[in-house]
Structure formats: C-alpha cells, structure tokens
Amino acid sequence: MLKKTLPLIIAFIAVTAAHAQERRNVGGCDIRRGTLCTSLNLNGADLAGVNLMNSQFTRSSLAGANLRGAELGEANFSYTDLRGTDLREASMSRINLKGARLNEARLAGADLHGATFQNADLSAADLSDTILTGADFTNARLGGAQLKNADMQRANLRAANLKGASLVGANLQGVNFNRASLVDADLTGAKLGGAIFLGTQTEGCIGCPD
C-alpha cells in the first residue's frame, strides 16, 4: 500500500511547493507573472530567476535587488528605482524602463531588444554584451556606461548623453545618434554601417567618424 501511495505523496508535496513558490510574497508584492506591484519598496529583494513577465512595477523601488536571470519581458518598470540592481542575463525584451533610474545597474548579458529607455538614467551602468536591437534611448543618460560588444543595431539614441561611455566592439549599425553626445566616448572596433551622426557632439571621441 505504501509503495502505491508514496509517488502520490511526493507529487502532492512537489505541487504544493511549486504553488507556494508561485504565491511568494515579498514586501507586499505577489511574486508571479503579470503581477501588479506599483509604488512598493522592494529594495534589496532577492528575486533571482523569477518570472515577472507582463508585470507592473511602476514607480516602485528595487534598488540593490537581485533580479539576475529573471524573466521580465514586456514588464512595466517605468519611473522605477533600479540603482545598483543586478539584472545580469535577464530576459527583458520590450520592457518599459521609461524614466527609470538604473545608475550603476548590472545588466551584462541581458536581452533588452525593443526595450524603452526614454529619459532613463543609466549613468555608469554595465550593459556589456547585451542585446539592445531596436531599443529606444531617446534623451537617456548613459554617461560612463559600459556598452562593450553590445548589439545595438537600429537603436534610437537621439539626444542621448553618452559622455565617456565605452562602446568598444559594439554593433552600432543603423543607430540614430542625432544630437547625441559622444564626447570622450570610445567606439574602438565598433560597427558603424548606416549609423546617423547628424548634429552629434564627438569632441574627444575615439573611433567616431570625422
């Protein structure tokens, strides 16, 4: 009898544990896909690997949180505080980060294709080896940011501030740099085919077109 019921007991425990994980609550936020967690304080929260696709975190604070490897596709993090947050290797396609604060955030290896960064602050952020194809950085601040080997094809960097940023080896084909600042930036080895530099500030830039 025990041999017959043991697999059922194990399955029940596994399902219960999975359900508990799905319903995990952190700082008043129900951690699950499609959750609504606006204007909450989640500073330093450990959310590594969680699935928060299609979720709303508008105007919340996740400064110093661990979201490494998280699923954040099409989530809304507009005007959210993500300073120093670990977002390495996270899946963030078409995420909304408009007006977000990402100073010194770690995003190396993340998939951010089609992401919105309008008016966001990414000063000193690490975006090395990220996928940023078609991303919108209009008026974003990227001073001192690391964008080494990033794939930024067709990204919009109109009026963005990239002063002192490193874009070494980045794929910048078709990127719009109109009225952007690349003062003291480093584009050594970057692919620039089709990139637009109308009204771009390039004083002290290494690798910028003459």
Side-chain angles (χ1 to χ4, degrees):
M1 184 68 177
L2 181 60
K3 290 182 178 180
K4 292 181 179 180
T5 58
L6 187 58
L8 295 174
I9 294 171
I10 293 173
F12 174 77
I13 292 172
V15 170
T16 302
H19 181 69
Q21 173 66 22
E22 291 173 3
R23 300 291 296 179
R24 184 158 63 103
N25 190 286
V26 177
C29 179
D30 191 13
I31 304 302
R32 58 178 174 77
R33 178 172 180 165
T35 195
L36 180 64
C37 296
T38 61
S39 302
L40 290 180
N41 186 340
L42 299 168
N43 291 340
D46 186 1
L47 302 171
V50 298
N51 187 342
L52 293 169
M53 292 180 68
N54 307 112
S55 296
Q56 296 274 341
F57 281 86
T58 305
R59 301 186 186 280
S60 290
S61 182
L62 290 100
N66 181 11
L67 284 156
R68 184 169 185 172
E71 297 284 339
L72 304 172
E74 300 187 14
N76 188 347
F77 280 76
S78 57
Y79 303 102
T80 296
D81 187 352
L82 293 158
R83 289 175 295 172
T85 299
D86 188 351
L87 290 154
R88 288 174 292 174
E89 300 162 7
S91 179
M92 305 165 72
S93 60
R94 293 178 293 279
I95 189 172
N96 183 356
L97 288 159
K98 182 178 180 180
R101 301 172 69 185
L102 290 140
N103 313 63
E104 300 182 354
R106 291 172 287 169
L107 298 113
D111 181 356
L112 288 148
H113 76 267
T116 298
F117 291 98
Q118 293 176 8
N119 300 303
D121 191 345
L122 295 109
S123 301
D126 184 4
L127 293 130
S128 303
D129 302 300
T130 49
I131 299 172
L132 290 160
T133 52
D136 187 356
F137 288 93
T138 303
N139 293 314
R141 284 167 282 177
L142 291 143
Q146 293 294 320
L147 290 149
K148 295 177 181 178
N149 302 314
D151 186 352
M152 302 179 72
Q153 294 182 75
R154 302 176 305 283
N156 184 7
L157 285 148
R158 185 173 180 271
N161 185 347
L162 293 118
K163 184 176 181 180
S166 174
L167 295 100
V168 174
N171 188 342
L172 305 174
Q173 296 180 91
V175 169
N176 180 4
F177 284 109
N178 284 358
R179 296 197 299 107
S181 174
L182 286 165
V183 174
D184 297 327
D186 189 350
L187 276 65
T188 302
K191 297 177 182 178
L192 300 173
I196 305 169
F197 291 88
L198 185 62
T200 306
Q201 300 176 45
T202 59
E203 296 84 354
C205 176
I206 302 172
C208 283
D210 297 330

